[in-house]
Amino acid sequence: MDTVKIRSLSSGVNQSGVRDYNERLLLTLLQRNGPTAGSDLARMAGLSPQTVSIILREMEGEGLLVKGTPIKGKVGKPSVPMSLADGGVLSFGYKIGRRSAVLLLTDFRGIVREELQLTYKYPMPAPIFRFLEDGMATILAKATDAERQRICGIGIATPFELWKWSELVGAPAEEFASWKNVDFRKELAKFTGLPVSVVNDATAGCQAEHIYGRGKEFRDYAYFFVGAFIGGGIVLNHSVYQGHRGNAGALGSLRSFGPHGESQQLIDTASIHLLEARLAEFGLDPRHLWTHPQDWSEYMRFVEPWLGQTAQELAKASLSVCAVIDFEAIVIDGAFPDAVKHALVERTRRYLTNQDMRGLIAPQIEAGSVGGNARAIGAATSPLFDRYFMNGNIRLQAS
């Protein structure tokens, strides 16, 4: 890919009483485009230069923005690019996975400042919340007073209806059912006063790719995250779409077929748990798949056939989602080494060309860039969208 085109966003408004909207729009433009002069921001946002200048000065005074080096050589005064400030806003992200939990502290530029990880055979509420409480205490103890004051919230990324996955994760069904009655906000209120956002784990991965990765290149796309169990998310009109009940883009539940023609879901045919099971059959410890830094080279005799099957399934799934919405791209990421990801993307492209595409327009198949921590990073973006960044669900409130 020679050049990256960053798609434009909707314009701002100048009327009184809508400062919050305009601030979000300018912060989002700076996040997407990097250091940008006020005159260019005014043009992109459709706002007057005076309005933009006032807002930028106020946000600079609040420590959200910093001035860059003046750019000379053009007619008139040198332009001064503005950018998001280092540590201007911080947030926690907590991913609860089927095999591991990850706690991060990030800033609103997507820079991970602290990271803690817990691995397990399967997740249970008590150790999950104990690790979160202890981890937050550990990270906060390292932070300065100024940094602690800039933490805006915590996002929790968790699988939808986690209690229904006991058989696949190998947990006792009755014990695992305790997840059904868990109230995340109530549990976190026992040890933190931070605002809490809860999001589907694969949707969180999609959020991370959209705001910090390759999402800015596309208007509408579907996102697959291949973890222990595959999941996904969808982006419509530059916004991650979560749906009325927060479960839009449940791509792991797409229909597929087993080796004997039996009905299955994509989660049964294109997930890392299949590779785990294959390693276990040969007496190998599948936990090594999750060791960081990841290196799957010693397992390539098992990874190769898994890649072939997964790529075929992703090619079929890609066309299935494009039959509903005309996505311009399919973005694939996952909890695996980069070399495995790019091999999977290339094979999916090849298999796509052999599919029956009558009545369909083939999408671009692209590799995501955020990587294995996408779900935790995406969880950390939820408080940022609540307070700082713009998304398609923001509506102007009547005065």
Side-chain angles (χ1 to χ4, degrees), residues 15-54:
Q15 295 92 331
S16 61
V18 291
R19 168 66 63 79
D20 181 61
Y21 181 94
N22 289 339
E23 287 180 349
R24 288 176 182 239
L25 178 56
L26 294 178
L27 286 170
T28 303
L29 287 170
L30 286 169
Q31 190 283 315
R32 289 171 66 90
N33 295 280
T36 308
S39 57
D40 293 326
L41 287 171
R43 175 181 51 79
M44 288 187 282
L47 295 167
S48 71
Q50 182 182 15
T51 296
V52 169
S53 178
I54 292 171

Side-chain angles (χ1 to χ4, degrees), residues 92-96 129 132 153-163 179 182-189 194-205 207 242-247 375 378-386:
F92 281 110
Y94 189 45
K95 183 269 295 187
I96 303 170
F129 288 113
L132 175 57
I154 177 169
I156 307 293
T158 180
F160 181 69
E161 295 186 340
L162 178 58
W163 60 89
W179 277 111
V182 168
D183 183 326
F184 285 96
R185 292 177 178 86
K186 185 177 180 180
E187 291 295 328
L188 267 68
L194 289 172
V196 177
S197 303
V198 182
V199 64
N200 175 272
D201 61 338
T203 301
Q207 283 183 340
Q242 297 190 37
H244 180 64
R245 289 175 289 186
N247 197 43
R375 293 165 295 179
T381 68
S382 291
L384 300 177
F385 277 110
D386 289 342

Side-chain angles (χ1 to χ4, degrees), residues 243-257:
H244 180 64
R245 289 175 289 186
N247 197 43
L251 305 184
S253 297
L254 287 170
R255 289 290 102 185
S256 184
F257 297 95

Side-chain angles (χ1 to χ4, degrees), residues 198-254:
V198 182
V199 64
N200 175 272
D201 61 338
T203 301
C206 188
Q207 283 183 340
E209 190 64 43
H210 186 61
I211 190 170
Y212 300 124
R214 299 192 60 194
K216 62 186 69 174
E217 300 173 39
F218 310 109
R219 177 188 176 94
D220 307 303
Y221 61 93
Y223 171 87
F224 287 96
F225 188 91
V226 185
F229 303 106
I230 194 170
I234 58 176
V235 171
L236 302 174
N237 193 27
H238 303 296
S239 298
V240 176
Y241 182 71
Q242 297 190 37
H244 180 64
R245 289 175 289 186
N247 197 43
L251 305 184
S253 297
L254 287 170

